[in-house]
Amino acid sequence: MRAPIWTKEDLRRLVQREIGDYRLVVVSNRQPYVHELVDGRLTYAVPAGGVTTAIDPLMQECGGTWVAHGAGDGDRLAVDDRNRVRVPPEDPSYTLRLVWLTEEQERGYYYGFSNEALWPLCHNAYNEPVFDSSHWRAYQEVNSEFAKHVLDEIDGRPAAVFTQDYHLALLPRLLREADPDILTGQFWHIPWPNHEIFRICPWQDELLDGLLANDLLGFHLGDHCNNFLETVARAGKGRVNFEYNMVSRGDDLTLVRPFPISVDFDQINSDAQQVEVDEEIQRFTQEWNLEGKVVGLGIDRIDYTKGIPHRFRAMGRFLEKYPEYIGKVVLVQAGVMSRTDIEAYQQLSEQIDHLVEEINGRFGREGWQPIIYMPTDLPSVTLLALRRIARFCIVSSLHDGMNLVAKEYVASRFDEDGVLILSPFTGAALELTDAVMANPYATEYFADAIRDAVEMPLEERRSRMIRMRSIVRENNIYRWAAHLLVDLMQGTRRSRRPFASA
Ligand code: GDG
């Protein structure tokens, strides 16, 4: 029997039932809507990135408050005297409360500790983490700043705080110390490394202490949960019950659970069918001379964990090995530049530019280039058009908690066509087993995977896509949110009291 499909309405009903008198506060580094000043006029943008893509639909259903760093140049103009603004701007359904950071705080906390230390520490991408004391101090300071805003927002009322990601590992402890009644849940959107790796962090004790103040700690995969539990056990930071995935420590009890994140399948599925997308497909195809070509697609934040050079090398090897496809297959690589203040990202950008130049120089012909590289923030209509134009989509991450791009591609293909080439090192690979798996490090096999995708008969493309679509439709974002919410509101409320008195 098929499981029922979670919808927005189901989630709304669940929220009403579960949340009751509790205030729901979501906290993340990045804001879901950035206000900008364009020619003196206040406008807004939706930043690229997995966390906002996943949580915004949840907040639209739940209401409540989202606390985040105000990074837009129009943000101060948009908020009221308590730093709050209702969003989404066009159809407000929840409150966004913004936290202001100095440039120095942002450098130390965001670029420094979060993205030069924790990001490489948690991803097997062979980039050495940078542990700098001044970054760490900024991280502590900013976590405290967030705590102040959250506590002010809650104002002593019953509340459930749902913290996002690795930027705010210290927040739950600060909240717990200020108000032990707050229910605390956190979702860690990136992998958790094994203890051998994690223990190189000089501030591992403080990070674990912060995270273990959560009632519920979520990761995408069971493997990430196991790594976390192993880390806690081996670091001697708490009593671990591996059978129930629980850690107890003093008065704290933390449930550690996998919640594989997803996308709003129905929304993407219907957005992809809009007339504007058809028009954009025509425009793009003409502009880039794609008529009659087999198009491959990559959409990524330009990040060294996404394996972008690896996929370009595979594309080069594919053309070298199968020259009959020269002039016939094009790889469009879209995606925003990110974290450009960090040296590793500047190096990556240079490396990508060189590779594109080399491969296009080597194989390109009059009127045809194998790689079209567009590292700009493309409008969502263009991204939807690209997903539909693409015969195949490549996700070649070296390590990725989940990867929403893979699920978005599948959700967009209402025509049930298209091939997903997927790295086995993504969380998505556990669900999307009908993708063509390609190890990004194994260029030879990866090149063959591109050939397999190009040559796959329509019937096989269709049967694989139908199966993948049914998985993403079922395991959608509403299901993810519902499971998390139920575990946070029911599981932790039940477990707190008996443990505290044990
Ligand atoms: C973290 C974890 C986990 C990309 N380029 C553009 C653009 N995007 C959108 C994609 C997608 C999102 O950004 C990226 O999501 P991912 O999941 O691929 O990756 P991360 O940003 O690294 O996210 C990841 C995720 O959190 C959720 O938990 O899956 O493992 O690393 O939605 O479509 N959007 C726009 N322009 C672009 O150029 N508008």
Side-chain angles (χ1 to χ4, degrees):
M1 206 178 70
R2 288 177 58 91
I5 308 284
W6 275 93
T7 63
K8 273 186 189 188
E9 288 65 39
D10 296 330
L11 182 63
R12 185 178 297 142
R13 277 194 291 273
L14 181 91
V15 168
Q16 283 161 1
R17 202 177 64 223
E18 293 296 330
I19 291 280
D21 293 337
Y22 279 73
R23 315 203 63 173
L24 181 67
V25 181
V26 163
V27 198
S28 71
N29 168 65
R30 181 165 301 182
Q31 61 205 114
Y33 298 91
V34 185
H35 301 89
E36 287 167 350
L37 268 180
V38 180
D39 301 329
R41 219 168 45 85
L42 198 57
T43 136
Y44 72 92
V46 177
V51 176
T52 40
T53 308
I55 313 284
D56 182 57
L58 162 69
M59 284 304 278
Q60 289 197 30
E61 291 317 303
C62 300
T65 304
W66 187 327
V67 179
H69 169 211
D73 59 12
D75 279 332
R76 283 181 195 264
L77 288 173
V79 296
D80 63 15
D81 55 0
R82 288 188 65 206
N83 302 316
R84 302 156 110 217
V85 54
R86 298 282 295 165
V87 291
E90 271 154 26
D91 184 15
S93 52
Y94 66 93
T95 301
L96 173 63
R97 175 166 179 152
L98 296 174
V99 178
W100 314 117
L101 304 180
T102 64
E103 254 177 55
E104 202 186 336
Q105 282 177 324
E106 191 180 356
R107 236 189 343 267
Y109 140 84
Y110 178 75
Y111 291 105
F113 195 70
S114 298
N115 286 314
E116 282 193 287
L118 287 178
W119 179 266
L121 183 70
C122 292
H123 287 94
N124 300 330
Y126 304 99
N127 266 56
E128 187 175 328
V130 175
F131 297 113
D132 179 314
S133 305
S134 70
H135 294 171
W136 171 244
R137 278 195 298 278
Y139 187 83
Q140 290 172 300
E141 203 176 291
V142 172
N143 271 251
S144 303
E145 195 58 31
F146 270 84
K148 274 189 227 150
H149 281 261
V150 173
L151 291 166
D152 184 63
E153 195 59 37
I154 292 171
D155 197 22
R157 290 168 291 188
V161 178
F162 182 27
T163 303
Q164 305 305 312
D165 236 351
Y166 57 98
H167 314 88
L168 297 164
L170 309 179
L171 179 67
R173 175 62 61 201
L174 297 168
L175 298 177
R176 172 72 41 101
E177 277 167 2
D179 179 354
D181 290 333
I182 299 174
L183 288 183
T184 47
Q186 182 154 13
F187 191 77
W188 193 263
H189 289 257
I190 62 177
W192 187 273
N194 67 33
H195 175 246
E196 289 288 287
I197 292 174
F198 184 73
R199 68 183 179 153
I200 70 167
C201 177
W203 301 289
Q204 55 166 319
D205 290 354
E206 290 86 340
L207 291 171
L208 292 177
D209 184 55
L211 291 172
L212 290 174
N214 280 302
D215 293 298
L216 176 68
L217 179 59
F219 294 94
H220 293 296
L221 307 181
D223 275 352
H224 303 158
C225 294
N226 292 339
N227 282 349
F228 180 80
L229 293 170
E230 248 333 293
T231 302
V232 173
R234 295 199 44 200
K237 293 296 161 206
R239 266 186 301 137
V240 178
N241 181 328
F242 285 96
E243 197 182 343
Y244 292 103
N245 278 19
M246 278 181 192
V247 182
S248 56
R249 181 165 186 261
D251 274 353
D252 298 329
L253 181 69
T254 307
L255 307 184
V256 180
R257 295 272 187 276
F259 302 95
I261 208 166
S262 193
V263 294
D264 188 344
F265 179 92
D266 284 339
Q267 186 68 48
I268 298 173
N269 187 51
S270 79
D271 286 351
Q273 301 181 44
Q274 286 165 357
V275 194
E276 294 82 0
V277 179
D278 292 328
E279 290 163 2
E280 182 65 3
I281 290 175
Q282 279 193 358
R283 191 198 64 76
F284 197 93
T285 307
Q286 254 175 12
E287 183 183 341
W288 292 96
N289 193 23
L290 297 176
E291 195 61 56
K293 310 280 192 305
V294 174
V295 177
L297 173 67
I299 302 181
D300 308 81
R301 265 188 322 97
I302 307 303
D303 191 292
Y304 55 79
T305 58
K306 304 291 178 184
I308 299 165
H310 303 68
R311 90 181 56 149
F312 288 171
R313 282 196 283 271
M315 180 67 184
R317 180 68 186 128
F318 160 74
L319 293 170
E320 192 175 64
K321 217 170 159 187
Y322 306 106
E324 61 274 28
Y325 289 115
I326 289 177
K328 296 185 179 139
V329 178
V330 178
L331 177 60
V332 178
Q333 175 64 50
V336 274
M337 300 299 292
S338 76
R339 306 173 191 168
T340 44
D341 287 23
I342 298 175
E343 201 184 320
Y345 287 75
Q346 292 155 10
Q347 283 170 1
L348 171 72
S349 173
E350 280 167 29
Q351 188 192 9
I352 291 176
D353 288 343
H354 285 149
L355 265 173
V356 173
E357 203 178 295
E358 188 214 308
I359 294 168
N360 282 349
R362 197 159 145 220
F363 298 101
R365 303 280 182 273
E366 181 69 34
W368 173 82
Q369 299 233 301
I371 299 175
I372 299 175
Y373 178 45
M374 351 182 80
T376 44
D377 193 0
L378 297 172
S380 59
V381 68
T382 309
L383 295 177
L384 282 164
L386 281 171
R387 293 192 196 107
R388 280 186 46 198
I389 293 171
R391 166 76 71 81
F392 62 95
C393 174
I394 304 183
V395 170
S396 53
S397 313
L398 307 183
H399 202 192
D400 215 331
M402 177 51 66
N403 192 284
L404 296 180
V405 173
K407 293 187 172 183
E408 287 162 348
Y409 178 63
V410 167
S412 309
R413 296 312 299 245
F414 62 90
D415 60 350
E416 299 173 340
D417 196 357
V419 181
L420 176 64
I421 299 180
L422 184 59
S423 159
F425 314 127
T426 59
L430 262 68
E431 288 170 80
L432 303 177
T433 49
D434 276 291
V436 172
M437 294 298 164
N439 176 345
Y441 293 101
T443 308
E444 199 66 22
Y445 297 111
F446 195 166
D448 287 346
I450 297 180
R451 187 222 30 212
D452 292 347
V454 170
E455 295 182 356
M456 189 180 285
L458 178 60
E459 212 175 307
E460 184 178 348
R461 298 203 297 269
R462 195 150 270 171
S463 59
R464 286 175 182 248
M465 186 53 84
I466 288 173
R467 287 194 292 268
M468 289 194 287
R469 279 171 63 77
S470 112
I471 286 164
V472 180
R473 178 184 284 125
E474 201 170 297
N475 298 345
N476 63 23
I477 184 67
Y478 299 109
R479 181 174 190 265
W480 176 82
H483 285 197
L484 253 161
L485 207 69
V486 168
D487 275 9
L488 179 61
M489 301 306 296
Q490 290 184 10
T492 59
R493 262 189 302 196
R494 252 203 314 272
S495 58
R496 254 194 196 207
R497 300 299 153 215
F499 178 75
S501 57

